[in-house]
Amino acid sequence: MHDLVEEAASMIRGAKNLVAFTGAGVSEESGIPTFRDPGGLWDRFDPYEVGGGDVFSSLYRGGAIPASATGFVSEMLTVLEKAHPNPGHTALGELERMGILRSVITQNIDNLHREAGNSLVIEVHGNIYRLACLACGGRVYLSREELFPLGWKLVECLRSGDMQGIISIASRCLCGGICRIDVVAFGEPVQDMPRAVAEAKSADVFLILGTSGAVYPAAYLPEYAKRAGAKLIEINATGCYFPELVDLGIVGKTGEVLPRIVERLRERGS
Ligand code: NAD
C-alpha cells in the first residue's frame, strides 16, 4: 500500500488537469450507506418502487405512494442529516486549495463535496439540497437548516396522506409553482452530462473513487478520460471495478488513502 500511495502521489504531482469522479463509496465513511454493498439500501428497498420518476408524478396526480417510499425518504433524511464531509472529501477539498484538483464529477447527491470546499462540482445525479420547479424549470437552493425541517414535515404528510400539506411544502418557487427534489430518479435523464464528458476528456490524470461503475451513462466517464489520453487511478474499498482501464488501482477506503496521498504531495512541496 505504501508504494501504491507513493506511485499515485507521483502521478498526481505531474498532472496539469486532475479530475475526480466519485460514487457512493466516498460518502460511506460519512455514514451514508452505499446502494449496492451488502446491507446497502437496495438490499432493503426495491429501487423501482421507491426511486422511480413516477413516484413524483404519481404523488402530484394524487396517486398512492408506496409505504416503502415513505420509509426510504425517512431513512435517507436520517442519514443525510447526520452526514458531514469525511477525510476523503476533505482531502479532495485540500487538493483543490493546493491548486492541484480541477473538478469533481460526482454521482452523489449529498452535497458533501461542496461542503468540503470543492467549487467545480458536476452532480450528474442531482443534489438533495436543490429543488426543481415543475412549472417554470427554475431551481431553488435550500440550506441544511431549511431542508431537514421541510423533509420531516413531508414525511409526516406522506404518512397521513395529507396532499394539501404536501403541495404547500412543495410550493417553493417564486413563480408559485410546485417543486420536486432535483435528484435524478430511475429512468430519468442524468444532469450536466455534456459538461461531465468535457471535464473527463480534459483530464490528464483521472481519479475513480468509490464507485462500482454499475450506473450508466455516468460509468462511461472513465472510458472518455482514457480514450482522451488520461492516466487513471482507482481507489475502492472492495476491489477494482475498471480493470481494463486503470493504470493504478488501490484497494482501500478513500477516507484513508486520499489523506495519505495529500500528505505525500505536501511533503514534496507540490
Ligand atoms: P455503489 O453503491 O454501486 O458502489 C459503491 C462502491 O464504493 C462499491 O464498489 C464499494 O466497494 C465502494 N466503497 C464502499 N465504501 C468505500 C469507501 N469507504 N472507500 C472507497 N470505496 C468504497 O455506488 P455508485 O457506483 O456511486 O452507484 C450508486 C448510485 O446511487 C449513484 O449513482 C448515486 O447516485 C446513488 N447514491 C448516492 C449516495 C450519496 O449521495 N452519498 C449514496 C448511495 C447511492
Side-chain angles (χ1 to χ4, degrees), residues 23-25 28-29 35-36 107 109-110 125 210-212 236-238 254:
E28 179 268 335
E29 290 155 275
F35 278 2
R36 288 179 189 77
Q107 300 168 85
I109 49 119
D110 54 32
H125 294 158
T211 176
S212 65
N236 191 301
T238 58
T254 42

Side-chain angles (χ1 to χ4, degrees), residues 1-14 233 235 248 250 257-258 260-268 270:
M1 167 79 90
H2 179 82
D3 290 348
L4 294 178
V5 167
E6 184 52 51
E7 203 177 328
S10 104
M11 283 166 74
I12 290 171
R13 204 173 283 122
I233 304 172
I235 305 172
L248 176 66
I250 301 181
V257 178
L258 286 170
R260 290 177 60 186
I261 293 176
V262 170
E263 211 174 284
R264 286 302 153 79
L265 292 167
R266 278 219 198 87
E267 281 167 11
R268 301 276 180 87
S270 294

